[in-house]
Amino acid sequence: VQAEIIAVGSELLTPSRVDTNSLYLTEQLNNLGVELITKGVIGDDRDRLAGAVRHALNRAEILILTGGLGPTEDDVTRDAVAVALDRKQAFHAEVKEAIAERFRRFGRKMADINLRQAFIIEGADILWNDHGTAPGQWIEDAGRYLMLLPGPPHEMKGLWERHCFPRLSRVVPRQVIRTLVFRVAGMGESDLDQLIAPVYKKYTNPVTTVLAAPGDVQVHLRAQCAQDQEAIALLDEVGRQIDLLLGDRIYSRNGDSMEVTMGNLLRQAGATIAVAESCTGGLLSERLTSVPGSSEYFLGGFVTYASALKADVLGVPVEVLATYGAVSKETAEAMAAGVRMRTGATFGLSVTGVAGPGTGGEQVPVGTIYIGLSDSIGTRSVHRQFAGDRTRIRQFATQYALDLLRLQLSS
Amino acid sequence: VQAEIIAVGSELLTPSRVDTNSLYLTEQLNNLGVELITKGVIGDDRDRLAGAVRHALNRAEILILTGGLGPTEDDVTRDAVAVALDRKQAFHAEVKEAIAERFRRFGRKMADINLRQAFIIEGADILWNDHGTAPGQWIEDAGRYLMLLPGPPHEMKGLWERHCFPRLSRVVPRQVIRTLVFRVAGMGESDLDQLIAPVYKKYTNPVTTVLAAPGDVQVHLRAQCAQDQEAIALLDEVGRQIDLLLGDRIYSRNGDSMEVTMGNLLRQAGATIAVAESCTGGLLSERLTSVPGSSEYFLGGFVTYASALKADVLGVPVEVLATYGAVSKETAEAMAAGVRMRTGATFGLSVTGVAGPGTGGEQVPVGTIYIGLSDSIGTRSVHRQFAGDRTRIRQFATQYALDLLRLQLSS
């Protein structure tokens, strides 16, 4: 079963506003096994909205409209749906009475324009609203289901929970949706896709989606079945093959972020970490400490932007800085070893490089990154070259640094 | 002139993802005097997208599609638009060559699936992409303008700025829209609105919008006129009144972020800064160093999560920690003075507190924050209590810390 959501309101077409009702409704629909195929925002224009409603009813069995049920001329949802379905509207005295009663309860008099809210589309069921004046409407039309819900989130949710969800669960064939998420660092989107596409292309269920952020590719498998066991078995069958192909490049098999994964590994190992960074400017510390409870394993971080601090605080030898430069394999390793010594942490992790846009006088190109990792066995480093702007390079660099430690911890 | 935006991608139809590209594009379109009448999200389904493109072209002169230009089978935007316009696609060897060259530059081999990205719709102009492999496409069709842009925000913005905005400004009738942005830290949204609403409610042009983020309220005035001079005069008239009411609580009068404002003030003063933080975990450093060129004034940062590091690295006296605790006025001041001494910076700025959700054993409630500021004259501190989750408290704390230094620098 497929659904579409339309949010109505010109204010949702400004640069600063986002329709959040649809996020809640998507989750609710998915819980019913209903797939959202399209969502949109339409301004307060009756004819345009009527056109969109007609278009939606050609492709979806369920259409949810939010907003546009208020008392003013701008509120066009009732009229637009009536036009689209070619139905009349009728005035309902009991709705008017309920609205008037609500005003009385708050010691106010109902304004005449609120009478518009007492018009109900022919054949629609009234969804009584405890949290506002606008009643919702439930319409069945040629085997399709339309819901008109108010825009304020608490009113929308109230009507959804009390009326729409129970009604839909009676009419929608019961379907279970289960998801499996792999997250991979250290691999580009297209390389990864080329590797796993031969596997997931064999299946239309689960549906596989590949998503990319800097240094972070997510593979989402989504199985939809009548039975829970069936969905789990399908995910297991496809997931196992993908797992074999990607192996330890997978850092998370449950959707956890890199920093959460890292925290779990450190906690399991009873290990602690301290970091030293330059071009990433605190982002490495910030990511590690964004996890609640990170104080159990995170001892501290040093953002040694000035070269003098690298020598003074981390004990990077002045000769190393002079000979190899602040952005070098040697400096990265000395930073990692230095921060480990300084703090007594199990692991010292370091990042030095050039995030750009300027090179800061370094004789190395923008995007050059050295990552150092030090433990009781020794110290090593890797070199990477990233592309993009300052923000992207900083994200890439911290992701690869965390992944280096993850590989060490899980080996 | 009216526009529609369609974001393509099944991942944007999940409960946790929002299409943010359309917010940027809406602002840009508004700057051209173009009205957004509808926006929507369509999953990775060629025929459904083709239907939506046809529907959109019946109501809007400008249609912008973002996403779905990647190399995989899921990426259906090219095919869908070709179907909707009934045009063929042709392979362009020079596009293939540019993609292959991009791979070579990063020391990688182009995968075969990337060849799909070298197909261009008949009659379309190629929009060369400096930030990724997917080229954009610009199509004119019966007096309407279609733009196919990649989904990653930095790629989309790059193509928009370089190609789409200049082309559209040549074809769209000119309306001048001018904006004035005030940014305020240290004041809640409703308090601020109550203060300035009596002023801005008198005007329908400019339109005033108040936006709130943790510790950061923005007031946007937007004037739309036929003449530039007229818009400037209107903004000046209303802006002057708001400025009088808010005074030095305004940290930016041009939309600059707090960290950019701070960088400019430090550079003007020829001053340097070093920071010491605990509960904000590197976010204070990260924000200051997110500004290109920040190495001119930012010397370094210390994330002293473990108490021992506060003593060892920053020289916070062990008696202070034992007597007053790590989250205290005394510790905040010792951290600020210590980081200043340690680095030789003009200013030492510190944050200590409890970001939650647990209290970490501290005898103070979640959301308690102490901020210390030290310079050659002396050291002082402020205490704040914030509400919200870990992320929010960390944002509030860094914002108030930066604002404290800003007030000192601008006094």
Side-chain angles (χ1 to χ4, degrees), chain A residues 282-305:
Chain A
L283 184 60
L284 189 56
S285 282
E286 195 277 326
R287 289 186 59 180
L288 282 162
T289 61
S290 68
V291 182
S294 46
S295 56
E296 283 176 48
Y297 48 82
F298 181 82
L299 297 187
F302 298 83
V303 185
T304 50
Y305 239 48

Side-chain angles (χ1 to χ4, degrees), chain B residues 26 175 178 184 206 218 245 264 268 335 355 367 376 386 406:
Chain B
T26 302
Q175 263 275 333
R178 284 210 160 242
V184 174
Q218 300 192 18
L245 290 170
N264 293 337
Q268 274 163 32
M335 286 168 70
S376 60
F386 300 115
R406 174 190 69 85

Side-chain angles (χ1 to χ4, degrees), chain A residues 2 12-19 23-24 26-27 30 35-43 48 51-52 55 59 188-191 193-194 200-201 208-211 279-283 285-287 289-295 298-306 309 312-313 342-343 356-357 385-390 392 394, chain B residues 2 10-19 23 26-27 30 35-44 48 51-52 55 59 71-74 102-103 106 108-109 111-114 131 154 209 211 280-283 285-287 289-295 298-306 309 312-313 342-343 356-357 390 394:
Chain A
Q2 299 184 319
L12 295 171
L13 292 170
T14 54
S16 52
R17 286 285 295 274
V18 164
D19 155 43
L23 302 177
Y24 168 82
T26 302
E27 189 164 22
N30 289 348
E35 185 199 0
L36 180 69
I37 55 167
T38 297
K39 65 176 176 178
V41 178
I42 311 264
R48 197 177 292 139
H55 190 66
R59 56 189 176 191
E189 179 186 17
S190 44
D191 286 347
D193 192 65
Q194 205 160 15
Y200 73 70
K201 287 234 174 103
T208 302
T209 323
V210 178
L211 304 170
C279 64
T280 48
L283 184 60
S285 282
E286 195 277 326
R287 289 186 59 180
T289 61
S290 68
V291 182
S294 46
S295 56
F298 181 82
L299 297 187
F302 298 83
V303 185
T304 50
Y305 239 48
L309 283 186
D312 174 34
V313 178
R342 179 90 212 196
T343 60
Q385 180 67 45
F386 300 115
D389 62 14
R390 187 174 179 89
R392 241 175 108 78
R394 284 158 63 120
Chain B
Q2 300 184 317
S10 295
E11 75 280 7
L12 295 172
L13 290 171
T14 55
S16 52
R17 287 284 296 272
V18 164
D19 154 43
L23 302 178
T26 302
E27 186 166 22
N30 290 350
E35 184 199 2
L36 180 69
I37 54 167
T38 299
K39 65 177 176 176
V41 178
I42 312 266
D44 305 316
R48 196 177 293 140
H55 190 65
R59 56 188 175 192
T72 76
E73 292 279 339
D74 288 348
R102 189 176 167 83
F103 274 94
F106 297 111
R108 292 167 54 208
K109 205 179 147 338
D112 282 348
I113 51 166
N114 287 96
H131 302 287
H154 71 289
T209 324
L211 304 169
T280 48
L283 184 60
S285 282
E286 197 276 323
R287 288 186 60 179
T289 61
S290 68
V291 182
S294 46
S295 55
F298 181 81
L299 297 186
F302 299 83
V303 185
T304 51
Y305 239 47
L309 283 185
D312 175 32
V313 178
R342 180 89 211 196
T343 60
R390 188 174 178 88
R394 285 159 61 118

Side-chain angles (χ1 to χ4, degrees), chain A residues 250-273:
Chain A
I250 298 169
Y251 72 78
S252 164
R253 288 172 175 80
N254 59 3
D256 275 353
S257 68
M258 178 64 89
E259 39 277 40
V260 168
T261 302
M262 179 66 67
N264 293 336
L265 287 170
L266 286 166
R267 213 183 266 112
Q268 274 164 33
T272 56
I273 182 173

Side-chain angles (χ1 to χ4, degrees), chain B residues 12-190:
Chain B
L12 295 172
L13 290 171
T14 55
S16 52
R17 287 284 296 272
V18 164
D19 154 43
T20 52
N21 283 337
S22 66
L23 302 178
Y24 168 82
L25 290 171
T26 302
E27 186 166 22
Q28 292 285 314
L29 288 168
N30 290 350
N31 288 345
L32 287 165
V34 174
E35 184 199 2
L36 180 69
I37 54 167
T38 299
K39 65 177 176 176
V41 178
I42 312 266
D44 305 316
D45 179 303
R46 193 197 68 172
D47 295 338
R48 196 177 293 140
L49 180 56
V53 168
R54 268 192 229 103
H55 190 65
L57 290 177
N58 284 330
R59 56 188 175 192
E61 292 107 309
I62 296 172
L63 172 61
I64 305 176
L65 294 116
T66 59
L69 296 181
T72 76
E73 292 279 339
D74 288 348
D75 294 296
V76 298
T77 303
R78 281 178 298 264
D79 293 355
V81 173
V83 167
L85 298 179
D86 197 19
R87 297 195 189 188
K88 292 193 170 44
Q89 295 182 72
F91 179 78
H92 282 237
E94 77 273 29
V95 176
K96 184 209 132 181
E97 197 32 55
I99 298 173
E101 168 59 28
R102 189 176 167 83
F103 274 94
R104 272 196 297 278
R105 221 181 324 141
F106 297 111
R108 292 167 54 208
K109 205 179 147 338
M110 183 178 84
D112 282 348
I113 51 166
N114 287 96
L115 290 177
R116 297 188 73 224
Q117 298 184 298
F119 280 84
I120 302 292
I121 294 167
E122 227 172 50
D125 291 352
I126 300 166
L127 307 179
W128 297 98
N129 182 351
D130 294 338
H131 302 287
T133 54
Q137 303 192 33
W138 167 280
I139 302 170
E140 304 194 9
D141 186 87
R144 293 157 310 182
Y145 302 93
L146 279 83
M147 281 140 268
L148 282 61
L149 301 177
H154 71 289
E155 298 185 33
M156 181 277 296
K157 285 183 194 173
L159 291 190
W160 172 266
E161 281 169 21
R162 191 160 141 206
H163 303 287
C164 301
F165 188 90
R167 281 169 182 240
L168 279 179
S169 31
R170 283 196 293 273
V171 297
V172 163
R174 213 62 182 128
Q175 263 275 333
V176 178
I177 297 182
R178 284 210 160 242
T179 313
L180 178 63
V181 178
F182 294 110
R183 296 181 73 161
V184 174
M187 207 176 171
E189 180 186 15
S190 44

